[in-house]
Amino acid sequence: MPHAKATVNRGADSPPSQIGNRTKHVLHVGCGPCNPLNLHERFRGAAWTEVRLDIDPQVKPDIIASLTDMIAVESDSVDAIWSSHNLEHLYAHEVPVALAEFRRVLKPGGFALVTMPDLEQVAHFVVTDNAQDIKVTYTGILPDLFREGQGVVTQGRLGDDGGR
């Protein structure tokens, strides 16, 4: 499935990976179990030190915290943030809170590299009654439509052409 990618800079242009001999720190949010391949290739190598943050203590992160409350991470303390497939799991009102936390913990000149599924493509799905399939495009906020572990109940009527 295609992915949407965004790189957000704080302040000046993205700094080089290493200044002098100083190692840079990347905060890997929603890191999951330790696996070097989960870290974006930009941050692999001696120039970067990974600091792992996850809400699940069983994955043994360096910091146990939520994306929306990273109080355990000092302000202006990391050079970069790597977030892969995390923001789409938040409720719509939590996304600005998480992004504000990203900005708070980034050093001036730091940046966030964020990837997530192509939500526009996810919002296309098929409704079927096992006799006829209807392609649906949802234009609202996805968390309002999908809840983990729940079905989707919709209400409406078809147009005269059998579709929209």
Side-chain angles (χ1 to χ4, degrees), residues 31-34 52 54-61:
C31 60
C34 188
R52 300 173 60 249
D54 203 289
I55 197 167
D56 183 0
Q58 292 186 1
V59 303
K60 299 180 181 166

Side-chain angles (χ1 to χ4, degrees), residues 13-26 41-49 79-80 111:
D13 291 334
S14 295
S17 294
Q18 192 171 12
I19 297 173
N21 291 327
R22 189 171 73 85
T23 300
K24 296 210 166 242
H25 292 88
V26 57
E41 62 189 23
R42 177 178 181 141
F43 305 116
R44 296 180 196 158
W48 290 93
T49 299
D79 300 287
F111 65 97

Side-chain angles (χ1 to χ4, degrees), residues 36-90:
L37 297 177
N38 288 343
L39 189 61
H40 190 276
E41 62 189 23
R42 177 178 181 141
F43 305 116
R44 296 180 196 158
W48 290 93
T49 299
E50 178 185 25
V51 179
R52 300 173 60 249
L53 181 143
D54 203 289
I55 197 167
D56 183 0
Q58 292 186 1
V59 303
K60 299 180 181 166
D62 299 308
I63 301 168
I64 299 169
S66 165
L67 297 175
T68 58
D69 184 10
M70 299 191 299
I71 194 69
V73 182
E74 291 182 36
S75 296
D76 301 324
S77 64
V78 297
D79 300 287
I81 294 174
W82 166 234
S83 173
S84 178
H85 297 270
N86 296 298
L87 295 178
E88 69 270 18
H89 296 282
L90 300 177

Side-chain angles (χ1 to χ4, degrees), residues 87-110:
L87 295 178
E88 69 270 18
H89 296 282
L90 300 177
Y91 289 103
H93 70 276
E94 294 176 310
V95 173
V97 175
L99 294 176
E101 280 290 87
F102 286 12
R103 188 171 195 330
R104 181 185 65 78
V105 303
L106 281 170
K107 292 178 180 177

